Amino acid sequence: MKIAVCISQVPDTESNITISTDSKNLDLDELDYIINPYDEYALEEALKTKEIFNGEVIVISAGADKNKDALKKALAIGANKAVHLKTNESFDSLNLAKLLYEEIKTHQPVLVFFGKQSADYSNSVTGQITAQLLNYNLLSNVSNLEISENRIIAEREIDGWKEKVSTTFPAVITAEKGLNTPRYPSLKGIMTAKKKPFIEKVIENTLNCTERIELKRPKNKSAGKVAVNSDEGINGLISFLQNEVKIL
Amino acid sequence: MNNNFIVFLEQTDGKITKSSYEVLGAALDLSYKLNCSVEAIVIGKNFVFDESLRLKNLLKITHCKTSNKYLAPSEYANIISGHYSDLVNKDIFFANSSLGKDIAASLAARLDTGIITDCIELSIEEDSIIAVRPIFSGKILDKLKLKGESRIFNLRANNFSPPNKFGDKTEIIIKIIDSFISDFQLLEIIKASGKVDISEAEIIVSGGRGLKDTSNFSLIEELSKILNGAVGASRAVVDAGWRPHYEQIGQTGKTVSPNVYIAVGISGAIQHLAGMNSSKYIVAINKDADAPIFKIADYGIVGDALEILPKLIAELKSLKLKGI
Ligand SMILES: Cc1cc2nc3c(=O)[nH]c(=O)nc-3n(C[C@H](O)[C@H](O)[C@H](O)COP(=O)(O)OP(=O)(O)OC[C@H]3O[C@@H](n4cnc5c(N)ncnc54)[C@H](O)[C@@H]3O)c2cc1C
Ligand SMILES: Nc1ncnc2c1ncn2[C@@H]1O[C@H](COP(=O)(O)O)[C@@H](O)[C@H]1O
């Protein structure tokens, strides 16, 4: 079974991100980067599936040189092959999906895993767009997966509930938290990763559908009233809900 | 009047969801400014039309009546692109719900159209639609516009006003969709306990590790019920197995913007704030006066949640009895 996993490298959530003086760019150097948390679930599920059905797991990441680290880690964890689509440009979700689609289709995988959402741009649609470009069945926000020879059964987390659906191959799955517990790279994994195929493709002139006008910070919420006496606080809260929020 | 808008109205049990009613409101607002017209489409077995859908500038609502019990997102997209032959020069608006994003993504791929998800603000500058969306867990706002002949937008719940200009020209059309063979099969629906959908809720009462034990969440449930809200949770209590994951708020959970967010026994870690810091009002109850949640709270009480909640619930109940 051939499986592809798309992963991205994102700044650690604790990072302080600064906006450039022209308000059009972000200062993203010098930050600590991690594999996007949801992509760890995606990778783990791909590896688990490979262990049952045999085959290979190909990890793909598009972006600057920092993305190499995510791919190397994925190889150390157990992926068989990595493809780095190298570019310094950033792209909107449609053009990112097109780029990933061009690469994925050359491998003809029966399953493609994505994270449900990236921690940086959080478009939450890259997997879905790619599914349509590939013309694969889509299962988004999957928190539980059962795969058999010819069917996939998935639990999907919808807005306030869950549904259990089944579909056929080939399919794109976007991973939700709870799907599994990602493993760590072992020492042996780190050693063998160096011998695994690592393909780099330089991408030029990516198109972009969006034009950035400005980056800004959200209005800073200033701290409001804090009551230290419980009884006063309860009365204060009730009048706050009545007079300011106006919900009572 | 060119550049027409299409709004996808999501429904549950035949009723338009609150968030897609807001999407309709936002699209109509833009249409008044750009002097263009709006059409809406509803897909499903049932759809109950009511007068709140007769609106100024809303030309027509097409109800695509399907006999298939379950539709996959790509099947919704098939119906939409089958119905409108000229989608390539329209702007299409969806809710930022799970289904809304899946369908919007499918259409973006088919039409080769740019898409902006999770919009919290839309405006017009020089005849173009400008969107604002939060990035990097809400730390930065990205203001941008889409190039091209058509555009797709997904709008975050609770950030746009419902329609307010009523009209009498809205036409209702029913189109029967023949049943088709699907690759997808629905096996089961697992519903959340509460009545109110958390991503649309006006009020969310959220509990964290400060509640000490899973059983104390009955206090959170009771408070949310009195306020007609939904229950939320921090990751710590979801990981502990006290609450289901669909209640988790934050970076690896849901992003919500209710009118009021009440955080009880939640420290206010950056990953939690990422999911709720765009709430209109934030209330915090925490026994530690230095907890970071107080930095963004509009109203805070320092104290033991297990003492405060029962008293607060009793007060609110007696207010209700008095009919206030
Ligand atoms: C990659 C990543 C993603 C994450 N995603 C999320 C996410 O989506 N959502 C999320 O919530 N977290 C997330 N986290 C975890 C986050 O960092 C925090 O660990 C978590 O939010 C803490 O939950 P808590 O506030 O319930 O618990 P704690 O931090 O333990 O806070 C408990 C609070 O309760 C107070 N308290 C204790 N007893 C009482 C009492 N009797 N009465 C009143 N107050 C009391 C304490 O003073 C304290 O402030 C993520 C972390 C990482 C690394
Ligand atoms: N630069 C990238 N390279 C490869 N995959 C990506 C990239 N960015 C996002 N993805 C994938 O798309 C998913 C959703 O991202 P997004 O649509 O940005 O929220 C992520 O969880 C990844 O699986």
Side-chain angles (χ1 to χ4, degrees), chain A residues 6-8 36 38-39 60-63 67 91 96 100 114-118 121-127:
Chain A
C6 292
I7 62 174
S8 65
N36 183 40
Y38 289 106
D39 302 356
I60 305 167
S61 189
N67 292 46
F91 11 55
L96 172 62
L100 296 170
F114 285 80
K116 137 182 157 170
Q117 181 178 343
S118 64
Y121 291 97
S122 305
N123 292 307
S124 314
V125 282
T126 307

Side-chain angles (χ1 to χ4, degrees), chain A residues 224-237, chain B residues 284-289 294 297-304 308:
Chain A
K225 186 177 161 35
V226 177
V228 285
N229 173 295
S230 296
D231 290 333
E232 256 172 42
I234 292 169
N235 292 329
L237 175 56
Chain B
I285 301 175
N286 196 303
K287 72 170 187 196
D288 173 9
F294 286 123
D298 298 280
Y299 195 90
I301 309 177
V302 179
D304 184 347
I308 293 170

Side-chain angles (χ1 to χ4, degrees), chain A:
Chain A
M1 193 179 269
K2 217 171 194 182
I3 305 170
V5 188
C6 292
I7 62 174
S8 65
Q9 178 84 331
V10 297
D12 189 88
T13 5
E14 314 274 348
S15 319
N16 263 327
I17 293 162
T18 43
I19 301 174
S20 68
T21 39
D22 67 356
S23 300
K24 299 239 179 187
N25 292 291
L26 293 169
D27 204 350
L28 298 175
D29 302 333
E30 317 275 313
L31 298 179
D32 289 333
Y33 280 88
I34 54 169
I35 296 184
N36 183 40
Y38 289 106
D39 302 356
E40 293 192 328
Y41 301 117
L43 175 63
E44 176 63 35
E45 203 63 18
L47 294 173
K48 270 171 55 185
T49 310
K50 179 193 83 166
E51 283 157 8
I52 300 169
F53 295 96
N54 292 323
E56 62 168 348
V57 171
I58 304 153
V59 278
I60 305 167
S61 189
D65 268 333
K66 63 170 169 53
N67 292 46
K68 277 204 177 76
D69 297 339
L71 292 169
K72 281 184 193 151
K73 188 172 174 199
L75 290 176
I77 294 174
N80 302 85
K81 191 195 254 180
V83 182
H84 180 204
L85 305 172
K86 189 177 155 149
T87 162
N88 282 323
E89 290 170 68
S90 63
F91 11 55
D92 67 284
S93 44
L94 177 70
N95 285 295
L96 172 62
K98 283 189 196 169
L99 199 63
L100 296 170
Y101 155 72
E102 290 294 338
E103 180 58 33
I104 294 166
K105 84 175 176 198
T106 64
H107 302 281
Q108 304 263 325
V110 290
L111 278 176
V112 186
F113 285 93
F114 285 80
K116 137 182 157 170
Q117 181 178 343
S118 64
D120 47 8
Y121 291 97
S122 305
N123 292 307
S124 314
V125 282
T126 307
Q128 291 92 317
I129 301 174
T130 314
Q132 184 60 54
L133 294 170
L134 288 162
N135 210 7
Y136 282 18
N137 288 331
L138 166 71
L139 293 166
S140 62
N141 306 355
V142 171
S143 59
N144 191 40
L145 196 63
E146 293 165 39
I147 292 176
S148 62
E149 290 294 337
N150 48 21
R151 262 198 115 67
I152 308 168
I153 298 178
E155 267 176 39
R156 303 184 50 228
E157 299 226 355
I158 324 282
D159 304 305
W161 67 92
K162 282 206 253 189
E163 68 177 31
K164 196 168 179 177
V165 284
S166 86
T167 193
T168 53
F169 295 101
V172 166
I173 286 154
T174 78
E176 170 67 277
K177 192 189 158 220
L179 184 55
N180 50 47
T181 313
R183 66 190 83 174
Y184 294 102
S186 64
L187 197 59
K188 187 167 161 251
I190 297 167
M191 299 307 288
T192 50
K194 297 200 180 91
K195 300 193 196 86
K196 291 179 177 171
F198 194 109
I199 300 151
E200 182 180 289
K201 296 185 181 172
V202 177
I203 306 296
E204 315 218 25
N205 291 332
T206 46
L207 293 169
N208 209 333
C209 292
T210 53
E211 182 185 322
R212 177 167 286 153
I213 299 179
E214 184 193 16
L215 291 165
K216 53 185 180 182
R217 293 219 174 262
K219 266 188 236 117
N220 237 347
K221 264 193 117 92
S222 49
K225 186 177 161 35
V226 177
V228 285
N229 173 295
S230 296
D231 290 333
E232 256 172 42
I234 292 169
N235 292 329
L237 175 56
I238 287 172
S239 64
F240 173 77
L241 293 176
Q242 279 174 328
N243 304 324
E244 227 172 297
V245 189
K246 301 193 168 60
I247 53 160
L248 294 179

Side-chain angles (χ1 to χ4, degrees), chain A residues 13 36-38 117 119, chain B residues 137 248-254 271-272 274-275:
Chain A
T13 5
N36 183 40
Y38 289 106
Q117 181 178 343
Chain B
S137 313
Q248 184 180 318
I249 309 290
Q251 194 205 329
T252 39
K254 292 210 161 56
Q271 295 90 352
H272 187 81

